[in-house]
């Protein structure tokens, strides 16, 4: 079963606008990761944020983590049509390479 | 470096048959994980192998099995296929050798259809 719930389930915006996706989880984490998936293909890693970090940036991406609320958010600034994809958060914990994925947010960026 | 490769990319089988999927990790990566993705259940962890040993296993029936070879390549097998096994099967590799979870590099997946 999935431990991460994401909202919104779907998001439709125009190019140039910002997109924010939220992820909540139930149990403690070592880190939280965000992945992108284009149309039923493999996943691409975007950002990993550790439990002792609060914010992380990578290009147009900004991820925040609030461990007290067990939630994370992914912000994509100045969205482009190429950002159209599904975005998943994944909970990582110490031990082995097992990720527990959220339900995903489908993002549609229109030109 | 070449990315994670999975073969075959598409597969059609009938109920009751068995299937073997193959995954070649990125060179130097010793950890290989498998995930099943379906519209209903989303992305679910199947198992992870490291140095030819299964280190972790998800909540799947025994019909799902896997193995890893000395060159880190991995295979997963599903026996007695059911309609519900239709899914995208994703393989991921990671260089991680110990505790802690690092980013994983995913292959393009094998889309299995069971008729």
């Amino acid at each position: 079963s999935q431990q991460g719930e994401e909202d919104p389930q779907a998001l439709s915006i125009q190019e140039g606008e910002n997109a924010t996706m939220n992820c909540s989880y139930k149990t403690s984490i070592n880190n939280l990761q965000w992945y992108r998936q284009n149309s039923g293909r493999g996943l691409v890693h975007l950002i990993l944020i550790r439990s002792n970090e609060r914010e992380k940036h990578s290009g147009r991406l900004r991820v925040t983590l609030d461990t007290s609320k067990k939630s994370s958010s992914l912000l994509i600034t100045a969205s482009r049509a190429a950002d159209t994809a599904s975005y998943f958060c994944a909970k990582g914990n110490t031990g082995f390479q097992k990720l527990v994925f959220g339900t995903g947010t489908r993002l549609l960026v229109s030109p | 470096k070449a990315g994670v490769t999975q073969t075959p990319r598409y597969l059609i089988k009938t109920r009751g048959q068995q299937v073997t999927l193959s995954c070649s990790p990125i060179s130097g990566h010793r950890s290989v994980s498998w995930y099943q993705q379906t519209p209903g259940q989303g992305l679910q962890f199947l198992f992870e192998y490291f140095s030819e040993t299964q280190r972790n296993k998800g909540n799947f029936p025994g019909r799902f099995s896997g193995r890893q070879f000395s060159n880190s390549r991995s295979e997963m097998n599903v026996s007695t296929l059911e309609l519900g096994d239709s899914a995208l099967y994703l393989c991921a590799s990671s260089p991680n050798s110990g505790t802690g979870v690092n980013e994983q590099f995913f292959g393009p997946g094998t889309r299995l259809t069971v008729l």
Side-chain angles (χ1 to χ4, degrees):
Chain A
S1 63
Q2 294 157 327
Q3 288 206 28
E5 297 299 324
E6 294 175 64
D7 76 273
Q9 291 188 352
L11 182 60
S12 184
I13 60 175
Q14 300 290 317
E15 268 191 328
E17 295 181 337
N18 295 340
T20 298
M21 288 158 265
N22 303 296
C23 168
S24 62
Y25 56 92
K26 299 175 182 176
T27 58
S28 62
I29 60 170
N30 174 270
N31 65 66
L32 194 130
Q33 305 182 32
W34 286 87
Y35 288 82
R36 184 186 74 228
Q37 184 178 38
N38 289 87
S39 190
R41 296 180 185 176
L43 284 79
V44 174
H45 182 267
L46 297 176
I47 285 187
L48 182 154
I49 184 165
R50 301 191 186 279
S51 59
N52 60 354
E53 298 175 314
R54 292 295 169 259
E55 189 170 307
K56 211 160 181 181
H57 297 254
S58 176
R60 296 184 294 113
L61 307 180
R62 181 175 77 108
V63 167
T64 59
L65 179 65
D66 187 333
T67 53
S68 66
K69 295 181 179 178
K70 291 186 168 60
S71 68
S72 175
S73 67
L74 169 67
L75 168 66
I76 303 174
T77 60
S79 295
R80 306 165 181 169
D83 294 328
T84 293
S86 290
Y87 292 81
F88 295 89
C89 67
K91 185 188 96 164
N93 220 328
T94 55
F96 310 119
Q97 301 300 315
K98 173 183 177 179
L99 292 175
V100 179
F101 283 88
T103 51
T105 294
R106 293 188 311 278
L107 173 66
L108 174 62
V109 182
S110 302
Chain B
K1 282 184 180 178
V4 178
T5 59
Q6 292 187 247
T7 57
R9 292 293 310 279
Y10 302 92
L11 205 50
I12 299 175
K13 292 285 188 179
T14 55
R15 279 180 298 174
Q17 287 187 311
Q18 75 164 18
V19 67
T20 300
L21 312 181
S22 181
C23 171
S24 293
I26 291 173
S27 178
H29 286 193
R30 298 166 66 187
S31 169
V32 174
S33 300
W34 289 88
Y35 294 82
Q36 181 198 63
Q37 185 177 27
T38 60
Q41 298 298 315
L43 280 153
Q44 296 190 86
F45 173 80
L46 278 157
F47 26 64
E48 185 234 351
Y49 287 87
F50 178 80
S51 291
E52 301 178 66
T53 300
Q54 187 182 88
R55 293 201 299 189
N56 206 352
K57 190 178 191 301
N59 189 26
F60 277 84
R63 300 186 297 108
F64 291 81
S65 63
R67 60 177 176 169
Q68 186 181 34
F69 302 95
S70 57
N71 61 357
S72 293
R73 189 177 68 86
S74 177
E75 289 180 348
M76 68 162 283
N77 184 275
V78 188
S79 62
T80 321
L81 284 165
E82 300 176 359
L83 295 179
D85 297 333
S86 294
L88 180 67
Y89 289 89
L90 294 162
C91 168
S93 74
S94 169
N96 185 274
S97 59
T99 59
V101 180
N102 295 331
E103 67 175 289
Q104 296 193 27
F105 297 81
F106 283 81
T110 294
R111 184 162 295 282
L112 172 65
T113 301
V114 182
L115 302 176

